[in-house]
Amino acid sequence: MPTESGDRKVIDNYRQIIDHVTGDANYNPANPLITRIALAAHHTAASAADDATDSAAAPYKMAVNARQEVFDPLSSLIRRSFAMMKASGASQGELDDAQTQVRKITGTRKSPKKKAAPNTPATEGDKQHSASQMSFANRRGSAGAYVATLANVPSYNPNENELKLASLRTLVADLEDKNNAVSSAFVPLSQARGARDRILYLDEDSVVNRSALIKAYVAAAFGRDSQLYKAIKGLDFRRPHQ
């Protein structure tokens, strides 16, 4: 995906090439896509598409930060809850059931991960299925399963408010809400990025394609040794990371 800073540089270079050709009284292309009026309107649309991306990115970043804040203390809190479960006198069977979810939440393994043999292909170790399921959705699901297990342990009844079953249920609901908020906020951002990428790079009459047409016209009409061509030839309109 193009970088946001790279996109802005492309738009800035587009502004420069338009300024150069607009300032030349002899610039008079037959192609309607690269006339002064058409280029000015197109630059305005490209800038608006980039601004719309920035506007959509702001609430998405806020949602991501809010989700991170609620997920960051999750592992520590669940470890404390599990320790309290032990202290409450839960049976070994109850502890075993809960510990499966604790491992998934905290990203720990029951046994050490198998190392690839030194004489096997380097990718063999990568083929092992990870015991850690650390995506936000998986951790939220594991937290819900842990709390459901905890609800069936009669001895678990701590005095500490943050470890109480009701508090943990509220936390699980908050994890779900925050993760859903990120997903919802990403939709308009993705749409805005798509619209920006089309006008800058992908459409037949995109910024990069029109800029190429401008350079070709100036080279043909004025020659590669002309001052105008020398002024615009170095302006870069390549797609970032492509």
Side-chain angles (χ1 to χ4, degrees):
M1 177 188 297
T3 63
E4 317 297 353
S5 59
D7 299 324
R8 283 189 285 270
K9 182 61 177 174
V10 167
I11 293 173
D12 181 62
N13 286 349
Y14 196 39
R15 177 72 268 168
Q16 290 184 55
I17 199 172
I18 292 171
D19 288 342
H20 280 298
V21 300
T22 300
D24 193 306
N26 295 315
Y27 180 81
N28 188 29
N31 188 337
L33 289 178
I34 55 173
T35 63
R36 292 181 177 89
I37 293 176
L39 291 174
H42 194 236
H43 177 269
T44 298
S47 295
D50 191 53
D51 289 343
T53 302
D54 289 340
S55 296
Y60 173 72
K61 290 176 181 177
M62 290 178 63
V64 167
N65 291 338
R67 179 178 67 180
Q68 196 65 49
E69 286 179 6
V70 74
F71 271 86
D72 275 348
L74 179 61
S75 291
S76 176
L77 183 64
I78 293 301
R79 287 191 186 101
R80 288 177 58 206
S81 172
F82 184 67
M84 184 62 71
M85 186 179 175
K86 287 182 179 179
S88 72
S91 70
Q92 189 59 50
E94 291 169 337
L95 292 172
D96 289 343
D97 289 343
Q99 193 166 44
T100 298
Q101 305 305 326
V102 173
R103 290 194 186 100
K104 291 179 181 179
I105 295 165
T106 60
T108 55
R109 302 177 63 88
K110 185 175 182 179
S111 58
K113 186 176 181 180
K114 180 182 177 182
K115 294 183 179 180
N119 296 324
T120 57
T123 57
E124 181 175 309
D126 296 335
K127 295 178 182 178
Q128 298 182 61
H129 177 67
S130 174
S132 173
Q133 302 180 47
M134 294 297 285
S135 73
F136 290 106
N138 281 336
R139 293 185 75 205
R140 178 260 169 252
S142 296
Y146 172 76
V147 173
T149 299
L150 206 57
N152 289 288
V153 179
S155 62
Y156 186 84
N157 188 27
N159 293 321
E160 291 74 16
N161 187 61
E162 68 274 18
L163 300 181
K164 289 180 180 294
L165 196 58
S167 297
L168 294 176
R169 282 173 171 152
T170 299
L171 171 63
V172 170
D174 198 23
L175 296 173
E176 178 78 2
D177 289 344
K178 294 297 191 296
N179 198 43
N180 288 343
V182 171
S183 179
S184 296
F186 182 71
V187 172
L189 175 58
S190 178
Q191 292 172 341
R193 283 175 172 167
R196 177 204 60 197
D197 290 350
R198 286 191 297 275
I199 195 169
L200 293 187
Y201 310 108
L202 304 177
D203 286 348
E204 206 170 309
D205 61 343
S206 65
V207 166
V208 294
N209 289 340
R210 290 201 197 201
S211 298
L213 291 174
I214 292 171
K215 290 182 180 182
Y217 167 75
V218 171
F222 306 107
R224 292 179 178 273
D225 292 329
S226 66
Q227 184 59 40
L228 180 57
Y229 185 77
K230 290 178 181 179
I232 67 174
K233 69 177 181 179
L235 293 173
D236 189 6
F237 296 95
R238 290 176 297 178
R239 295 166 174 82
H241 303 312
Q242 292 186 10

